[in-house]
């Protein structure tokens, strides 16, 4: 929870309950006192590395207690921190750092290596009082930068701690990488609440038996994860397969496969189960408590307390009562906009009715029933979820298209039980070129997050199928090329 | 001990059918390039185990062992050594 209030509350726990475990990591315990000491050590390293008070800092690192401590140290010193995906390619990272006005890139201890000054930062866009800038998939080839508002994150911390009983004694599992907004709950709300967060080792994040062992031995009380994690657990037949310590279970980030629903009750017999919907820009917006075991498409539920919603038809009209349209939300947790004011104007709109409420256009198409319960129907653009990460297929195409030997490219998504979606790229190469999938993977590696790199890249010589308006026909691409994969 | 070109041919056949095995460098990063994802790692390992007739313990499922043709060749070679 990157806010002055978070730092105050964390300091209170360090003073009042220094021996309480703050983090469990690879079977070691880091108490609140230990974490405070790590943060102090990181602060000293930052000073000796010559970090200036007005530096805007980029941190790209895998999840670890040292990274948590480094972020606390940076916030204490008043730095605004950009935290992009750790597996972002180096070219994409440099581009993002430049767009964010990042003047220093740092990595956590034990060796605070390579504090480098990226070249060409001329302009540091205002981030207001934000201490943390997260990234989210954009449509122009560069992820959008979301400076979180401290007031928004304080509101979120208050709601999440109360709803999921996050307080001293709670054991919260942290599955997601630290740059995902899910960590606002798993890590930062936990540390603001005197509870313990168990960090899933990123090396084993998709290893079902490791996850089961962790849930069991750490006596986890609260889990929030994408459906894939529960699928990995449900597929196990040996080792721990029931987790009665779990009291609150949140599914989020993706549609849940209907077959998984009865399995959740089997695995988590004492947990309240919720489907939660939100995005980085607004944080959690709607929630649905699952009280049965019926195999069906889950609703995303009703607006959380303080959340306002509107459903806007494709003609731009407000839908009253039941009906379908794009979901607009206004939450007590939301960011004030993107770092880029032009992007902000596109997605954050003021309600013409009261001129006051700022709605975020989610780009998600929903159906609202007579009781005000929402169900997700799809996207208005080219976004899909891949292993829980929102991925813009247009952006993947854009990156592949940059290779000079690419004549045309289409990226399509095929639904997958485990990954949510699997991406396939079909590339028509220039005549006579020797372009192959390995060369294109190098391009993807430089410019995309790991989850956005297509699983298969098929090279063809013939032109891709087109619609009557001359655009690449993704449906035809899907049926012509992906059926033989 | 399997030769690296056998490993290459097998990887290309299963994960990059458009590629000539000779064009796959020994140190090509299979993980960072997305050729092998955390989810397809299991398929890679079970396929390797069947193809080269080795026992691979679930505890050995460390991604770093499978990062490149070189590391896979070393790993499979070590797994084929007679156990003491």
């Amino acid at each position: 929870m990157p806010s002055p209030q978070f730092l105050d509350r964390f300091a209170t726990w360090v003073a009042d309950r220094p021996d309480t475990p703050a983090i469990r990591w690879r079977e070691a315990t880091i108490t609140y006192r230990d974490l405070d000491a790590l943060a102090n050590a990181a602060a000293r390293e930052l000073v000796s590395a010559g970090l200036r008070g007005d530096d805007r800092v980029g941190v790209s690192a895998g999840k670890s207690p040292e990274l948590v401590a480094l972020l606390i140290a940076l916030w204490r010193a008043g730095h605004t921190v950009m935290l992009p995906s750790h597996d972002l390619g180096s070219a994409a990272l440099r581009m993002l750092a430049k767009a964010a006005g990042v003047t220093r890139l740092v990595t956590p201890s034990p060796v605070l290596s390579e504090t480098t000054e990226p070249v060409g930062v001329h302009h540091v866009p205002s981030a207001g009082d934000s201490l943390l800038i997260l990234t989210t998939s954009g449509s122009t080839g560069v992820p959008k930068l979301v400076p979180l508002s401290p007031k928004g994150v304080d509101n979120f911390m208050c709601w999440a701690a109360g709803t999921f009983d996050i307080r001293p004694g709670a054991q919260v599992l942290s599955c997601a990488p630290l740059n995902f907004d899910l960590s606002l709950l798993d890590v930062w709300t936990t540390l603001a609440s005197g509870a313990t967060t168990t960090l899933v080792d990123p090396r084993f994040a998709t290893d079902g038996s490791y996850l089961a062992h962790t849930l069991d031995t750490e006596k986890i009380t609260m889990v929030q994860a994408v459906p894939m994690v529960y699928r990995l657990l449900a597929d196990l037949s040996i080792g721990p397969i029931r987790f009665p310590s779990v009291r609150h279970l949140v599914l989020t980030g993706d549609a849940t496969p209907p077959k998984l629903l009865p399995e959740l009750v089997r695995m988590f017999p004492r947990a309240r189960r919720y489907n939660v919907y939100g995005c980085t820009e607004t944080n959690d917006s709607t929630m649905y408590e699952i009280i049965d075991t019926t195999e069906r498409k889950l609703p995303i539920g009703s607006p959380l307390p303080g959340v306002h919603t509107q459903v806007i038809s494709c003609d731009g009209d407000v839908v009253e009562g039941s009906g379908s349209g794009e979901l607009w939300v206004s939450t007590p947790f939301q960011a004030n906009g993107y770092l880029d004011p032009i992007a902000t104007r596109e997605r954050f709109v003021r309600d013409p009715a009261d001129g006051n409420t700022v709605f975020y256009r989610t780009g998600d198409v929903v159906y609202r029933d007579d009781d005000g319960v929402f169900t997700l129907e799809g996207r208005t653009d080219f976004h899909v979820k891949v292993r829980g990460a929102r991925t813009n297929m247009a952006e993947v195409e854009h990156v592949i298209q940059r290779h000079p030997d690419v004549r045309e490219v289409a990226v399509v998504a095929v639904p997958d039980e485990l990954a949510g979606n699997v991406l396939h790229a079909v590339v028509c190469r220039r005549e006579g070129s020797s372009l192959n999938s390995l060369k294109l993977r190098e391009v993807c590696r430089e410019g995309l997050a790991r989850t956005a790199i297509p699983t298969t890249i098929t090279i063809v010589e013939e032109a891709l199928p087109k619609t009557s308006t001359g655009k690449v026909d993704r449906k035809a691409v899907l049926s012509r090329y992906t059926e033989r994969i | 001990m399997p030769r690296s070109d056998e490993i290459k041919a097998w990887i290309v056949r299963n994960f990059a059918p458009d590629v000539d095995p000779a064009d796959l460098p020994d140190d090509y990063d299979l993980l960072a390039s997305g050729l092998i994802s955390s989810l397809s790692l299991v398929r890679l390992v079970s396929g390797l185990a069947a193809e080269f007739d080795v026992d691979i313990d679930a505890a050995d499922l460390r991604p770093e062992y499978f990062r490149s043709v070189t590391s896979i060749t070393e790993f499979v070679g070590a797994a084929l050594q007679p156990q003491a």
Side-chain angles (χ1 to χ4, degrees):
Chain A
M1 204 59 44
S3 71
Q5 195 186 108
F6 164 77
L7 296 173
D8 287 348
R9 290 180 56 171
F10 176 69
T12 306
W13 296 114
V14 172
D16 294 353
R17 294 175 177 239
D19 297 318
T20 301
I23 297 178
R24 290 275 298 158
W25 168 250
R26 296 181 180 167
E27 296 180 12
T29 297
I30 292 116
T31 64
Y32 276 80
R33 180 196 284 118
D34 297 337
L35 185 56
D36 183 55
L38 280 174
N40 290 336
R44 286 191 295 274
E45 288 186 71
L46 289 169
V47 169
S48 61
L51 205 72
R52 292 190 310 263
D54 58 350
D55 273 321
R56 182 165 294 174
V57 179
V59 180
S60 176
K63 188 159 67 174
S64 70
E66 288 77 16
L67 175 58
V68 172
L70 172 63
L71 291 170
I72 291 173
L74 286 165
W75 293 333
R76 281 175 174 170
H79 294 285
T80 304
V81 182
M82 177 190 73
L83 190 61
S85 167
H86 173 42
D87 57 17
L88 206 61
S90 57
L93 177 62
R94 280 197 304 275
M95 208 154 56
L96 255 190
K98 195 173 167 192
V102 163
T103 48
R104 301 281 291 214
L105 288 168
V106 302
T107 50
S109 99
V111 186
L112 187 76
S113 63
E114 295 173 49
T115 43
T116 52
E117 191 141 359
V119 287
V121 173
H122 302 299
H123 167 65
V124 179
S126 167
D129 56 354
S130 176
L131 290 177
L132 179 62
I133 304 175
L134 296 181
T135 63
T136 180
S137 193
S139 51
T140 55
V142 184
K144 290 178 178 175
L145 293 153
V146 187
L148 301 184
S149 115
K151 181 164 166 283
V153 291
D154 287 344
N155 289 338
F156 176 75
M157 167 169 68
C158 179
W159 169 78
T163 305
F164 304 118
D165 296 322
I166 301 173
R167 52 177 180 245
Q171 306 286 332
V172 181
L173 188 66
S174 162
C175 297
L178 215 54
N179 61 293
F180 275 41
D181 52 1
L182 303 192
S183 290
L184 290 176
L185 191 158
D186 307 336
V187 176
W188 304 116
T189 300
T190 301
L191 295 178
S193 306
T196 308
T197 179
T198 295
L199 306 183
V200 165
D201 189 330
R203 294 178 304 168
F204 308 121
T206 57
D207 179 339
S209 53
Y210 165 83
L211 293 167
H213 176 77
T214 305
L215 278 164
D216 185 54
T217 54
E218 302 293 333
K219 303 214 165 18
I220 297 297
T221 60
M222 157 79 207
V223 192
Q224 167 177 249
V226 294
M228 181 183 81
V229 167
Y230 301 101
R231 180 78 258 163
L232 291 166
L233 290 168
D235 288 343
L236 297 173
S237 50
I238 52 164
I241 51 171
R242 279 177 85 254
F243 311 99
S245 59
V246 175
R247 295 310 181 96
H248 296 280
L249 177 166
V250 170
L251 296 150
T252 193
D254 210 342
T256 300
K259 282 193 168 52
L260 189 56
L261 295 171
E263 308 262 30
L264 290 178
V265 182
R266 169 179 67 75
M267 294 189 289
F268 302 95
R270 295 170 68 192
R272 291 178 71 172
R273 292 156 287 139
Y274 318 87
N275 190 29
V276 172
Y277 164 87
C279 26
T280 306
E281 291 86 345
T282 61
N283 212 323
D284 293 342
S285 309
T286 69
M287 180 161 93
Y288 180 81
E289 182 160 3
I290 312 162
I291 51 172
D292 57 33
T293 58
T294 316
E295 289 183 22
R296 67 202 156 110
K297 181 175 175 178
L298 278 184
I300 56 170
S302 314
L304 297 175
V307 171
H308 301 282
T309 56
Q310 284 196 330
V311 177
I312 306 294
S313 75
C314 46
D315 303 324
D317 299 326
V318 176
V319 176
E320 306 285 352
S322 64
S324 291
E326 185 185 1
L327 177 64
W328 291 18
V329 298
S330 176
T331 77
F333 322 132
Q334 75 192 19
N336 295 321
Y338 297 108
L339 212 50
D340 173 5
I342 297 166
T344 303
R345 279 198 291 277
E346 265 172 36
R347 306 297 283 192
F348 289 82
V349 289
R350 214 166 271 282
D351 183 6
D354 66 3
N356 219 348
T357 312
V358 175
F359 280 98
Y360 171 70
R361 305 176 51 174
T362 64
D364 284 319
V365 178
V366 295
Y367 171 76
R368 181 172 57 201
D369 72 11
D370 288 330
D371 300 322
V373 176
F374 293 97
T375 305
L376 214 47
E377 295 197 319
R379 287 289 302 178
T380 58
D381 53 23
F382 299 113
H383 286 81
V384 291
K385 290 284 179 128
V386 179
R387 310 208 301 266
R390 187 164 82 174
T391 306
N392 184 339
M393 294 189 285
E395 185 182 330
V396 180
E397 288 181 355
H398 180 85
V399 166
I400 293 176
Q401 188 76 60
R402 287 206 294 249
H403 193 288
D405 284 349
V406 171
R407 224 173 76 200
E408 288 182 302
V409 53
V411 171
V412 294
V414 176
D416 179 81
E417 175 87 354
L418 194 54
N421 284 283
V422 169
L423 297 186
H424 300 284
V426 181
V427 175
C428 169
R429 69 179 175 195
R430 233 171 15 90
E431 223 172 305
S433 95
S434 61
L435 183 66
N436 67 17
S437 61
L438 293 184
K439 291 178 188 166
L440 285 176
R441 286 187 180 283
E442 289 292 300
V443 175
C444 291
R445 176 187 170 179
E446 278 289 295
L448 295 169
R450 190 82 60 86
T451 45
I453 303 178
T455 299
T456 70
I457 298 179
T458 306
I459 310 279
V460 300
E461 310 282 347
E462 69 271 17
L464 299 179
K466 305 290 188 315
T467 63
S468 57
T469 57
K471 290 182 178 162
V472 171
D473 184 343
R474 287 189 173 71
K475 272 194 184 140
V477 167
L478 200 62
S479 61
R480 184 184 299 180
Y481 296 106
T482 63
E483 272 167 14
R484 47 181 203 217
I485 290 167
Chain B
M1 171 141 174
R3 296 197 319 267
S4 67
D5 53 357
E6 291 177 88
I7 302 265
K8 260 184 213 182
W10 185 84
I11 289 173
V12 163
R13 197 159 66 239
N14 286 279
F15 294 94
D18 67 300
V19 174
D20 183 332
D23 290 340
L24 175 61
D26 284 347
D27 60 350
Y28 188 86
D29 192 324
L30 304 169
L31 304 175
S33 65
L35 196 69
I36 309 294
S37 72
S38 54
L39 294 175
S40 58
L41 192 62
V42 176
R43 188 158 70 87
L44 171 85
V45 171
S46 59
L48 281 172
E51 179 78 13
F52 297 101
D53 196 25
V54 289
D55 270 337
I56 299 178
D57 195 311
D60 290 335
L61 258 177
R62 305 255 166 143
E64 54 261 45
Y65 295 158
F66 305 97
R67 185 166 290 283
S68 66
V69 170
T70 305
S71 61
I72 293 176
T73 307
E74 282 169 10
F75 179 79
V76 173
L80 281 173
Q81 295 291 321
Q83 299 294 313

